[in-house]
Amino acid sequence: MALWPGRISAIGEGVTGRQVGDEVCALLTGGGYAQKVAVPAGQLLTIPKGVGLAEAAGLPEVTATVWSNIVMTAGLKAGETLLVHGGAGGVGTMAIQIAKALGARVVTTVGGAEKVAQARELGADLAIDYRTEDFTEHGPYDVILDVVGGDYLERNVASLAADGRLVVIGLQKGLEGRLNLAEVVFKRASVHGTTLRTRSKEYKAEVVSEVQKNVWPMIESGTVQLVVDRTLPMADAAEGHRLLEAGGHLGKILLLNDDNA
């Protein structure tokens, strides 16, 4: 998945509601490091009011990922409890804020005391340092958003409330985990594995429309903000990937080309 901001230079046949020169951001399947891209019109988003072109680069993928998973897939509702794994990452920091804006109680797992404090500042009701605490002790959770995978599967299911929903979107700790089917059955639990990258352009257009309608007002009002750890020139892309792999960042790391620096 890639993210991209820019100005429309040409419009395809039959496209309405857009003009050459409009500043937009887009949800792409790939190619986001390019200076020019072709994208289905349904995957374009108008840049939110008050957001700069460079900052807009970080919005499409993370907002679409969070909204499609915690709302469209898991059906998170006000008053429910959401557990977000990886609360210091780009998806995690956005999920905390959107869930709070929806009226949910938010619990998150992060690594280290500093990130615990940062997660609380973003609105998490409880931030758990996974290095010293077990998140299963603070359940049950109505919805769990998991970017970790691996052996978290068994503990996630054990932590779900009745009718709970687990959505796995990442595999940082591996491809395999144990699943207790009895707990799934008797809790009436749902376990979803999903990725936005391989979905159809029609589904992506639906997600983009939902994000524009529901998340953009949160951003424009200041209720939800994109958390940016740092920006780097495109020439330092390798350093950006190294920083992501090291895991010490909070939020997004943005790569900027000469056109949006």
Side-chain angles (χ1 to χ4, degrees):
M1 190 65 66
L3 35 115
W4 188 82
R7 298 172 182 85
I8 296 175
S9 61
I11 296 175
E13 184 178 350
V15 174
T16 60
R18 302 289 185 183
Q19 297 181 352
V20 171
D22 285 353
E23 291 188 343
V24 295
C25 49
L27 181 68
L28 308 183
T29 301
Y33 286 9
Q35 291 182 307
K36 289 189 176 182
V37 296
V39 60
Q43 290 168 222
L44 288 178
L45 294 114
T46 302
I47 293 175
K49 296 175 184 176
V51 175
L53 192 61
E55 184 183 356
L59 286 173
E61 182 178 16
V62 71
T63 53
T65 297
V66 171
W67 189 266
S68 65
N69 284 295
I70 71 171
V71 177
M72 296 174 70
T73 297
L76 181 69
K77 297 181 284 293
E80 291 190 318
T81 297
L82 169 70
L83 170 63
V84 181
H85 290 304
V91 169
T93 53
M94 184 59 67
I96 289 169
Q97 296 179 81
I98 289 178
K100 287 301 296 182
L102 292 172
R105 175 177 176 266
V106 179
V107 180
T108 188
T109 58
V110 294
E114 182 179 0
K115 289 186 177 180
V116 165
Q118 292 167 335
R120 291 297 304 273
E121 289 178 5
L122 286 172
D125 296 280
L126 175 63
I128 300 167
D129 183 350
Y130 65 80
R131 299 172 181 173
T132 60
E133 294 183 76
D134 185 350
F135 67 84
T136 64
E137 297 176 359
H138 299 277
Y141 309 105
D142 299 292
V143 175
I144 299 176
L145 182 64
D146 182 25
V147 300
V148 180
D151 63 8
Y152 268 42
L153 176 61
E154 186 172 21
R155 289 194 286 159
N156 281 333
V157 172
S159 302
L160 284 175
D163 299 305
R165 292 86 74 196
L166 165 63
V167 185
V168 181
I169 63 171
L171 304 168
Q172 295 174 7
K173 291 195 67 175
L175 307 181
E176 297 182 359
R178 292 173 56 88
L179 181 61
N180 185 330
L181 291 176
E183 285 194 294
V184 173
V185 170
F186 290 111
K187 289 182 176 181
R188 303 178 302 278
S190 301
V191 179
H192 304 267
T194 183
T195 176
L196 196 52
R197 177 187 292 270
T198 58
R199 301 301 288 261
S200 68
K201 66 180 182 179
E202 290 79 14
Y203 180 79
K204 290 176 183 176
E206 180 184 357
V207 173
V208 163
S209 177
E210 286 279 304
V211 166
Q212 183 101 46
K213 176 182 177 181
N214 296 287
V215 181
W216 260 217
M218 298 177 185
I219 294 171
E220 292 176 346
S221 69
T223 303
V224 170
Q225 299 179 15
L226 180 70
V227 179
V228 178
D229 184 270
R230 70 191 73 190
T231 60
L232 297 171
M234 190 64 71
D236 292 342
E239 173 64 8
H241 284 277
R242 188 194 66 78
L243 292 168
L244 285 173
E245 291 171 2
H249 62 289
L250 178 72
K252 304 289 289 185
I253 296 174
L254 300 183
L255 298 177
L256 305 180
N257 62 42
D258 292 338
D259 293 333
N260 56 33

